[in-house]
Amino acid sequence: MHYRTLGDTGVEVSEVGFGAWVVGTDWWGDRSEEQAIEMVRHAVDQGITFFDTGDVYGHGASEEIIGEALADRREEVTIGTKVGYDFYNNPQAGHGELPKEVTPEWIETALDRSLDRLDTDYVDLLQLHNANVDEVDRDVREKLDELVESGRVDSIGWALGPSIGWLAEGEAAVEQGFDAVQTVFNLFEQGPGTHFLDAVEREGADTSVLARVPHSSGLLNEQVTPDTELGEGDHRSHRPQEWYETGWDKLEAIRFLEKDGERTMAQAAIRWLLYHDAVASVTPTFRTTDDIDAWAAASDVAPLSDDEYERVQELHAENFGVARDDGMDSYRSSVGGRDVEQAGLQPSAGD
């Protein structure tokens, strides 16, 4: 495993991180608390040190599992969590979005509750969870700075949901000097991540990108095919069948990234993200310890060559030679779509 730092903070993260929403919900398969704890500890044994959770994942359950699993290894790991949803006073309705709460008072209260569940007195990274751009005002920024000064937070980030609103938010995160911006970013769904990488370069910013859904919800690791029957509770079941069918066609165009015995397609998808220096960590959705073994190893397999990367980009510009519609017709935006339209971006499947 290799390691990178978040911006200029000195906070170190493993190139392959652990997206801990999977251990706090049953949206990507059900598992016992004991199995979840075993997965987290196994990840540390494989060199993974960055654990990305959120207070809303399982309404605190993910944080509690992370806290218990890492209690005796706290100084070896980097923990990031997210705040910004009021799940304390509102019931969860399926996979629907809960009411947001992004005020200085709420952020501090939510952080304190998260610290209790994580059984720690600080987090390495505190992220605003899907906060809209107009919610992050001067008072919120001052509160975040105050939390850093207090020692309870080492760095700050903004975690974005492309299916909720993201472009204006990500640009604001870069312009305002957030240490990290987290987004869906993968070889098939390049829009948000590439846009933020360009913004970081344009602004000369120290903001790092954290990439989630690196396998495009099961396509790039070949765990989902057009024939896969997704369970009713599976978070991916909201995507149309056309999306999977076109994605599988696209996959055939990039088979050249596989190297027999040296690099799998799933590892190549992670290596494509790590080709970008500003991508600090990639957080796959691990379902089993076998997934952890295979994908943690991506940090050590052969990186993409410049020629391989450029070939991927040429294919992406041509939609990988697939002419059919994928059933995803628009980005959502917190500012009425003006930012997306002005940027000339293409549709994304989102989370």
Side-chain angles (χ1 to χ4, degrees):
M1 181 65 66
H2 298 276
Y3 303 87
R4 302 185 181 188
T5 57
L6 294 178
D8 61 355
T9 64
V11 174
E12 185 180 82
V13 292
S14 49
E15 288 187 336
V16 179
F18 191 109
W21 79 318
V22 72
V23 298
T25 73
D26 59 2
W27 292 2
W28 282 65
D30 199 9
R31 59 193 53 79
S32 69
E33 182 175 331
E34 292 75 18
Q35 289 171 324
I37 290 172
E38 178 188 355
M39 285 179 62
V40 173
R41 291 174 175 166
H42 185 78
V44 180
D45 291 339
Q46 300 309 307
I48 292 174
T49 58
F50 176 48
F51 292 85
D52 178 55
T53 186
D55 64 357
V56 76
Y57 299 157
H59 291 193
S62 176
E63 290 180 325
E64 290 174 349
I65 287 169
I66 292 297
E68 181 173 350
L70 300 177
D72 60 349
R73 308 186 76 166
R74 179 64 183 96
E75 298 309 311
E76 300 175 43
V77 299
T78 298
I79 296 176
T81 196
K82 311 176 190 74
V83 298
Y85 282 111
D86 180 8
F87 60 88
Y88 299 96
N89 302 303
N90 298 279
Q92 182 78 47
H95 294 182
E97 189 181 18
L98 290 164
K100 294 178 186 175
E101 187 71 42
V102 188
T103 64
E105 297 76 18
W106 181 267
I107 290 169
E108 183 158 20
T109 297
L111 171 63
D112 287 340
R113 292 172 175 176
S114 289
L115 293 176
D116 285 342
R117 288 189 290 265
L118 289 165
D119 193 22
T120 184
D121 56 5
Y122 73 100
V123 290
D124 303 272
L125 172 66
L126 179 67
Q127 300 162 91
L128 300 180
H129 201 173
N130 291 331
N132 289 355
V133 66
D134 59 357
E135 295 173 320
V136 186
D137 56 20
R138 179 178 297 178
D139 291 340
V140 168
R141 282 306 317 272
E142 288 179 351
K143 173 55 66 176
L144 293 173
D145 291 341
E146 177 186 315
L147 293 174
V148 172
E149 292 172 4
S150 74
R152 286 179 286 171
V153 173
D154 283 346
S155 61
I156 59 171
W158 202 330
L160 311 175
S163 60
I164 296 171
W166 61 276
L167 199 157
E169 287 74 16
E171 290 185 340
V174 174
E175 293 167 359
Q176 295 178 26
F178 277 70
D179 302 308
V181 57
Q182 180 180 152
T183 186
V184 171
F185 190 17
N186 59 65
L187 192 153
F188 285 164
E189 298 164 279
Q190 296 189 21
T194 299
H195 191 84
F196 299 146
L197 290 175
D198 290 343
V200 168
E201 184 175 0
R202 181 179 66 249
E203 297 291 331
D206 290 315
T207 305
S208 290
V209 172
L210 299 174
R212 73 175 183 276
V213 199
H215 292 134
S216 198
S217 295
L219 288 172
L220 287 164
N221 58 350
E222 302 182 75
Q223 288 184 344
V224 172
T225 76
D227 297 325
T228 300
E229 293 287 339
L230 295 172
E232 184 177 344
D234 194 300
H235 188 62
R236 297 165 292 182
S237 61
H238 72 284
R239 300 193 182 206
Q241 180 68 14
E242 297 91 335
W243 184 82
Y244 291 103
E245 292 172 350
T246 56
W248 198 252
D249 289 343
K250 293 175 183 179
L251 188 65
E252 294 308 310
I254 57 171
R255 288 290 181 191
F256 66 90
L257 292 176
E258 294 178 303
K259 293 188 179 298
D260 188 31
E262 297 180 17
R263 188 172 67 196
T264 65
M265 182 61 72
Q267 291 170 339
I270 293 173
R271 291 302 330 183
W272 179 85
L273 287 161
L274 293 173
Y275 183 90
H276 308 95
D277 291 340
V279 172
S281 187
V282 179
T283 56
T285 301
F286 299 119
R287 300 183 307 168
T288 65
T289 54
D290 286 343
D291 287 344
I292 295 171
D293 292 342
W295 303 341
S299 181
D300 289 318
V301 303
L304 266 63
S305 67
D306 292 343
D307 288 343
E308 287 174 323
Y309 179 82
E310 292 303 325
R311 186 175 173 189
V312 169
Q313 298 314 98
E314 289 170 2
L315 286 166
H316 179 264
E318 301 170 356
N319 200 35
F320 301 92
V322 178
R324 292 185 293 112
D325 180 71
D326 67 0
M328 303 299 294
D329 58 3
S330 66
Y331 276 116
R332 290 183 62 185
S333 168
S334 62
V335 292
R338 297 185 304 276
D339 51 357
V340 174
E341 183 178 355
Q342 290 171 2
L345 292 165
Q346 297 299 311
S348 167
D351 289 325

